[in-house]
Amino acid sequence: MTTLFVSDLHIEVDRPDIANQFLQFLETEALNADALYILGDLFEFWVGDDDPNEHYAWIKQGLRKLTKKNIPVFFMHGNRDFMIGQDFADETGITILTDPYIVEVHGENVLLSHGDIYCTDDIQYQAVRKMTRDPKWQATMLTRSLEERISFSEQARADSKAHGDNIDQAITDVNQAAIKSALRQANVTLMLHGHTHRPAVHEIEVDGKQARRIVLGDWYEHGSVVRWDRNGPVLSSLAR
Ligand code: MN
């Protein structure tokens, strides 16, 4: 049996092709899986579980169908959909995981993360992250109208794009020391994350031990998935 991992789909109203590919993935490959892990940024933005946008109803239904067939779906917040809450989890039957999270897959422990916590060179980003992940900040945000929240999120995305365009690519990537420290602390030799949209398998050495960091890609042009059966994890592209 295969355990599946995806991240960074960035589903939004303007990209029905991504939503359709994901729904198809849920109805085919995921139906035969042991479990599906979504490691953040399933949505381009999420302003609260009370958003009645019908486009999201299809995605919720797709997830619900899978969990109803007893295929567990685990979700970790990304930096775009960190406002996904317990109502969404109850509606879809998914389980929300903390970031990072250690899980055993086919006898091997792996550290799962969205990945942005390891982008420690980006000081400005980390400050925004700290603010927006504060439960008090989120509770205050949820008291504002949907329109206000949507316009806040549009502004935040524009700011984030401008910030990303203005700094070196190395700064927005993960920090190697932060990665090694996380692997050491978790006492594992494998990490799986997304966020950077730079799909790759990196071999690294931590305290003399060989370790690996697998980075999932985004779904902008095609899908990206890690399929993990008893032969180990394999990073692949999904043709669209
Ligand atoms: Mn991200």
Side-chain angles (χ1 to χ4, degrees):
M1 290 289 274
T2 306
T3 303
L4 300 172
F5 300 84
V6 297
S7 76
D8 302 283
L9 293 95
H10 293 270
I11 290 169
E12 61 172 324
V13 177
D14 294 346
R15 291 295 304 270
D17 53 330
I18 301 177
N20 287 335
Q21 184 173 18
F22 182 57
L23 288 171
Q24 203 188 350
F25 175 76
L26 292 180
E27 284 165 13
T28 53
E29 192 169 354
L31 265 186
N32 299 309
D34 281 327
L36 168 65
Y37 288 81
I38 304 167
L39 301 182
D41 289 353
L42 172 60
F43 297 104
E44 171 67 5
F45 66 97
W46 193 262
V47 296
D49 295 349
D50 55 338
D51 187 344
N53 193 324
E54 278 201 16
H55 185 69
Y56 304 135
W58 292 104
I59 305 296
K60 286 189 207 171
Q61 227 172 68
L63 291 169
R64 182 80 210 159
K65 270 192 211 159
L66 201 58
T67 58
K68 276 231 160 136
K69 297 227 155 114
N70 293 321
I71 293 153
V73 178
F74 300 97
F75 170 80
M76 192 176 268
H77 290 123
N79 53 302
R80 300 302 186 86
D81 52 12
F82 56 82
M83 296 288 279
I84 284 183
Q86 197 52 47
D87 286 348
F88 183 95
D90 292 343
E91 276 178 78
T92 55
I94 65 162
T95 302
I96 299 178
L97 304 177
T98 52
D99 182 358
Y101 194 87
I102 303 167
V103 66
E104 189 186 317
V105 184
H106 292 287
E108 183 174 1
N109 281 334
V110 55
L111 184 64
L112 305 177
S113 176
H114 178 58
D116 56 328
I117 41 170
Y118 306 118
C119 299
T120 52
D121 294 328
D122 194 344
I123 311 285
Q124 197 182 324
Y125 172 75
Q126 291 299 332
V128 172
R129 186 182 192 278
K130 193 172 171 215
M131 177 182 81
T132 55
R133 300 306 174 88
D134 181 348
K136 273 192 220 149
W137 183 92
Q138 294 188 5
T140 306
M141 183 54 87
L142 288 172
T143 64
R144 297 164 70 175
S145 72
L146 265 176
E147 291 68 28
E148 278 180 284
R149 281 182 261 156
I150 288 166
S151 82
F152 174 87
S153 113
E154 277 166 2
Q155 187 58 50
R157 278 180 293 147
D159 291 349
S160 153
K161 190 181 179 303
H163 173 64
D165 289 348
N166 281 327
I167 55 173
D168 195 274
Q169 283 271 300
I171 294 173
T172 54
D173 203 351
V174 296
N175 172 288
Q176 289 308 314
I179 293 290
K180 286 187 183 185
S181 147
L183 286 166
R184 210 174 274 131
Q185 215 182 329
N187 194 27
V188 298
T189 52
L190 179 60
M191 177 188 281
L192 223 163
H193 72 82
H195 179 65
T196 59
H197 301 197
R198 299 170 202 183
V201 179
H202 300 277
E203 300 284 339
I204 40 177
E205 204 185 291
V206 183
D207 305 332
K209 273 189 286 187
Q210 269 308 111
R212 259 178 317 164
R213 177 170 68 91
I214 304 178
V215 188
L216 285 154
D218 61 60
W219 283 48
Y220 291 145
E221 307 301 326
H222 48 75
S224 180
V225 62
V226 163
R227 299 183 177 106
W228 191 337
D229 62 16
R230 61 198 166 132
N231 298 315
V234 176
L235 173 66
S236 307
S237 279
L238 294 171
R240 183 171 294 160

